[in-house]
Amino acid sequence: MLIVMKRGHTEEELQEVVREIEKVGYRPHVSRGVETTLVGAIGRGPTPELMEHFRALPGVAEVIPISKPYKLASLEVQPFPTVLEFPTGKTGGGHVMVAAGPCGVESREQTLKAARYVKAHGAHMLRGGAFKPRTSPYAFQGLGLEGLKILAEAKRETGLPIVTEVLSPEQVELVAEYADVLQIGARNAQNFALLQAVGEAGKPVLLKRGMSMTLEEFLMSAEYILSRGNMRVILVERGIRTFEKATRFTLDVSAVPVLKSWTHLPVWIDPSHPAGKRDWVIPLALAGLAAGADGLIVETHPEPEKALSDAAQQLHEHEFAELMDKVRRLVAALDKTLATPVLG
């Protein structure tokens, strides 16, 4: 249920509501707006008697049942956008960020070269997989711990925060030592033990939509992370599986405005995986931003033809530079803000 506080309520009245929520076994979530303070009481469905109990508390204006199955992700609980802030920029609420880098960390030279040029062209975050979930057990699986150490070196040199994937609950503690953002890939989007583990890790989480998930299922996966006390979640539309075979997946651009109307969480686009071919990455990226996305996560490689995974969809450096030039112009036309990382 959602408890709306009266305008001009006291801090003691708010804390009394929070204590009462905890007393009946619910978990409180306080959202302070410019004019209104909302308190979400997260738990089982409330009885009419319980709602009347909270309506009678001092400072309470109204008590409203939360209609959505996802609670903490809902705009009913927090009616204003979540804005996540990193040393290189912000995302959400009109702020746009770009994460870029190779699909996989293949070597120190390859990763550092990519990190240097994505920063030079304006990226705000370095992506790269140290652990790679692959369809084939014989495909390149990543460098593991060595890859994490290479990413850490790239961060020290460039200052770019690191986003990298974690594959299992057992890996969370290790990856969290090196990563600034923990990525949950499409294949693990409903790995509920992993979602809970990253929710407890204390790091922002970039959650990709599963290739066969509905949007409600996607938000329920996010709810697993949020319910563990971690409200720093970025949702990523990365393409869904349809009957179309021309592209690797079908980018569901419509997911962006729908999600923005349902949740306060930032929504990003991954244009690389649905394209499957680098020629189509830039148009898909721009389409996602035009639809309202708060960021992009893009694959780029110093020598894509030699990449050990996803070679066909990774941008050359000059193509990434072209993308960033178009992103700057589009973001400005949309009256949004694209941070300019400090070079050095």
Side-chain angles (χ1 to χ4, degrees):
M1 59 184 166
L2 184 65
I3 299 167
V4 183
M5 301 299 294
K6 292 178 180 177
R7 185 177 298 186
H9 68 84
T10 67
E11 184 63 25
E12 177 54 36
E13 288 171 338
L14 175 62
Q15 292 308 315
E16 177 61 22
V17 169
V18 170
R19 287 191 291 269
E20 286 296 312
I21 290 172
E22 293 172 336
K23 188 183 296 183
V24 298
Y26 286 67
R27 192 158 71 81
H29 175 74
V30 178
S31 297
R32 300 176 188 263
V34 176
E35 297 182 351
T36 306
T37 298
L38 305 176
V39 186
I42 310 303
R44 64 191 183 281
T47 63
E49 293 78 14
L50 188 60
M51 294 177 65
E52 283 303 318
H53 168 70
F54 280 98
R55 285 193 183 100
L57 294 178
V60 172
E62 183 58 277
V63 179
I64 306 168
I66 299 175
S67 61
K68 303 295 185 182
Y70 46 90
K71 309 300 182 185
L72 292 171
S74 173
L75 279 171
E76 293 178 81
V77 169
Q78 181 174 307
F80 50 87
T82 288
V83 178
L84 301 185
E85 187 167 355
F86 299 91
T88 51
K90 299 178 182 179
T91 183
H95 299 274
V96 176
M97 291 183 69
V98 176
C103 173
V105 176
E106 300 166 0
S107 69
R108 177 178 179 274
E109 179 184 7
Q110 165 248 14
T111 304
L112 291 178
K113 185 173 183 179
R116 289 167 188 146
Y117 77 67
V118 299
K119 177 178 180 177
H121 295 303
H124 309 91
M125 196 176 291
L126 176 65
R127 62 144 296 145
F131 297 94
K132 297 297 300 175
R134 304 302 301 281
T135 301
S136 169
Y138 309 112
F140 175 63
Q141 304 288 318
L143 298 181
L145 178 57
E146 181 186 351
L148 292 176
K149 291 179 179 179
I150 292 171
L151 288 171
E153 182 180 354
K155 177 184 176 180
R156 287 194 297 272
E157 179 177 323
T158 64
L160 293 176
I162 300 299
V163 54
T164 193
E165 187 166 356
V166 57
L167 303 185
S168 69
E170 295 75 24
Q171 287 181 354
V172 170
E173 184 176 358
L174 171 64
V175 176
E177 288 182 25
Y178 294 88
D180 298 281
V181 180
L182 302 175
Q183 177 181 313
I184 302 297
R187 291 172 177 81
N188 272 317
Q190 289 182 301
N191 182 338
F192 301 125
L194 177 57
L195 296 174
Q196 290 174 323
V198 297
E200 296 171 355
K203 292 289 182 76
V205 177
L206 189 148
L207 175 63
K208 290 194 173 185
R209 181 185 181 185
M211 60 189 76
S212 300
M213 291 176 78
T214 67
L215 293 179
E216 184 172 289
E217 290 170 339
F218 189 23
L219 288 176
M220 291 304 295
S221 288
E223 196 76 10
Y224 270 89
I225 302 169
L226 302 173
S227 68
R228 311 306 280 192
N230 185 354
M231 301 300 293
R232 296 182 294 171
V233 176
I234 298 169
L235 304 173
V236 181
E237 164 56 39
R238 49 79 68 204
I240 54 177
R241 180 165 287 165
T242 70
F243 55 81
E244 182 54 66
K245 295 182 178 180
T247 53
R248 187 176 179 187
F249 297 96
T250 298
L251 182 65
D252 185 4
V253 178
S254 65
V256 178
V258 172
L259 287 171
K260 300 287 279 186
S261 71
W262 288 359
T263 182
H264 53 87
L265 299 172
V267 179
W268 285 22
I269 285 286
D270 170 355
S272 302
H273 284 88
K277 184 178 178 181
R278 68 180 61 90
D279 293 354
W280 303 328
V281 170
I282 293 177
L284 292 181
L286 299 177
L289 289 176
D294 301 295
L296 301 172
I297 179 165
V298 182
E299 292 185 348
T300 176
H301 191 289
E303 298 179 277
E305 294 79 7
K306 297 181 180 180
L308 300 180
S309 58
D310 290 351
Q313 68 195 36
Q314 299 196 63
L315 299 178
H316 293 92
E317 178 182 354
H318 73 273
E319 293 168 321
F320 179 69
E322 177 188 348
L323 169 64
M324 291 304 297
D325 179 60
K326 291 181 176 180
V327 166
R328 289 186 193 93
R329 286 183 279 155
L330 177 58
V331 169
L334 295 170
D335 200 25
K336 292 187 175 182
T337 302
L338 182 72
T340 305
V342 177
L343 300 179

